[in-house]
Amino acid sequence: MSDEPDRTRTSRIGGFARRIAVDVTPLRASRDFRRLWLGLLASTFGSQFTIVATFLQVYSLTQSTVAVGLIGLVGFLALVAGTLAGGTFLDAFDRRKILITAQVGYLASSGLLFAGAVHGDPPLALIYVAVAGIAATSAIDSPTRSAMTPRLLDKGQLPAAAALNQIIWNGAGLIGPALAGVVVAGFGFSWAYAIDLISIGFLLLASISIRPMPPSEGERAAVGWRAVKEGFAFLRGRQVLQSTFVIDIIAMVFGMPRALFAVLAFTQFHRGATVVGLLFAAPAVGAFIGAATSGWVGRIRHQGLAVIWAVVVWGAGIAAFGLVGKNLWLGLFFLAVAGAADVISAVFRNTILQVTVPEHLRGRLFGIHILVVTGGPRLGDLEAGLVAAAFSPMASVVSGGLLCIAGAGIVAWRVPAFRRYHAGDPG
């Protein structure tokens, strides 16, 4: 009997796998992108320990969902302040130097959490101050790295680069929270914060090792308040860009229930800190799988429509999670589905921004982008905590998911330009 059918079938399977597997070309094409990617991998992994530890520590100190939700409000206000401050200089100076300075800021804030944990139960205010420092620093660090990418890679490699970064964030989110729950339960909060401190050092070393990146010749940006106004003014009239921000705000403010994970682990699933880590990790499991099989995203041309549908699936997954009762594993599955949808939305929103914003404005526009991407979940923490206190954790989760679906539908209806956006169109 001929082996030809088997070889043909194997060839087809191999071809399919290559089409959907994440494209690693950016890692081969740019030494500096590769170094920053590896440094970010370490730093993002460590940051998961701090995220889980701060939620658990505040809940253990107060037993209050509102106090846990206030972590989000504190982080959001600091993020706004950091975005406004960063907007005054992000596009005007060497981005390598800015990135190095940001890592020093992370070290200072995480060091404060570590010092407080070493000395026992810290004042609640100390935790909030450190969270604010981390959030404000992220408003400098993240847009700086994002603005660097188009100068390190060809335009056609940008969707693949966005997917590779999503692998970092979600791969770290997959492993980090679960390990963080184990570390906190077994060794205490100080160990979790120490791991984060060490991880920041890797991105600091990567930032030091890359080439300088001063502003492009002839494109020196404004500084001060005029620079901030110039960045926001660029958004005026650009409905597609505005919609990428609006739809993510809807998804994160109403649909991200992470502030309730500690509460749900103890009150609904009747487990401890280890399950808190699993709940944090579950969306990252789906997102990691989504990013790892994202080889097809470069072939999608109707990117606005893809974002809309991704947010609908995200909201449906969150609402379903809220209805699982005590079935932990079914709940983890729906969180994973939501995470897979979220990563697809993120890849296309990031690509639209990188392609449609000019170099001399990119740092400031990515600052606004980071404010939305990381500020939304922080406002979501507050929203989730307040609704849970007024009604119940389940009501908070389910209503949030349904509002995401409704919000995506409203954006699609009210902004047809976003629904019809085609790769290569102006933003």
Side-chain angles (χ1 to χ4, degrees), residues 122-139:
L124 195 60
L126 182 144
I127 299 175
Y128 287 148
V129 167
V131 167
I134 291 171
T137 302
S138 72

Side-chain angles (χ1 to χ4, degrees), residues 124-297:
L124 195 60
L126 182 144
I127 299 175
Y128 287 148
V129 167
V131 167
I134 291 171
T137 302
S138 72
I140 309 299
D141 168 72
S142 296
T144 301
R145 281 186 290 98
S146 297
M148 285 176 161
T149 303
R151 287 178 62 178
L152 298 175
L153 299 168
D154 294 335
K155 182 177 178 180
Q157 295 169 348
L158 294 180
L164 284 167
N165 286 335
Q166 289 296 327
I167 282 194
I168 284 182
W169 296 321
N170 295 294
L174 187 161
I175 302 170
L179 288 179
V182 173
V183 167
V184 169
F187 302 99
F189 295 110
S190 62
W191 279 79
Y193 297 134
I195 290 170
D196 189 18
L197 278 170
I198 293 169
S199 75
I200 294 167
F202 285 97
L203 186 51
L204 175 60
L205 291 175
S207 303
I208 293 170
S209 72
I210 65 172
R211 292 184 292 272
M213 191 175 290
S216 299
E217 288 295 327
E219 290 191 343
R220 184 166 293 277
V223 295
W225 183 243
R226 185 167 67 88
V228 177
K229 292 192 291 184
E230 192 176 82
F232 280 98
F234 180 80
L235 284 173
R236 193 176 301 121
R238 289 177 168 83
Q239 289 187 321
V240 172
L241 271 180
Q242 292 171 7
S243 296
T244 65
F245 297 150
V246 170
I247 201 166
D248 191 56
I249 289 173
I250 291 169
M252 292 297 104
V253 170
F254 296 112
M256 173 52 80
R258 66 179 188 174
L260 301 179
F261 286 163
V263 181
L264 292 169
F266 288 100
T267 63
Q268 180 170 317
F269 299 115
H270 305 294
R271 311 287 182 90
T274 301
V275 167
V276 177
L278 290 177
L279 292 173
F280 271 97
V285 172
F288 182 82
I289 294 171
T293 57
S294 63
W296 53 273
V297 298

Side-chain angles (χ1 to χ4, degrees), residues 43-58 68 71 110 113 127 131 134 169 173 176-177 180 184 189 192-193 196 258-259 261 276 280 378 381:
S43 179
T44 306
F45 175 78
S47 70
Q48 302 301 312
F49 285 76
T50 288
I51 291 171
V52 172
T54 50
F55 281 122
L56 278 171
Q57 194 170 25
V58 169
V68 175
I71 293 175
S110 294
L113 287 169
I127 299 175
V131 167
I134 291 171
W169 296 321
V184 169
F189 295 110
Y193 297 134
D196 189 18
R258 66 179 188 174
F261 286 163
V276 177
F280 271 97
R378 287 179 167 89
D381 295 340

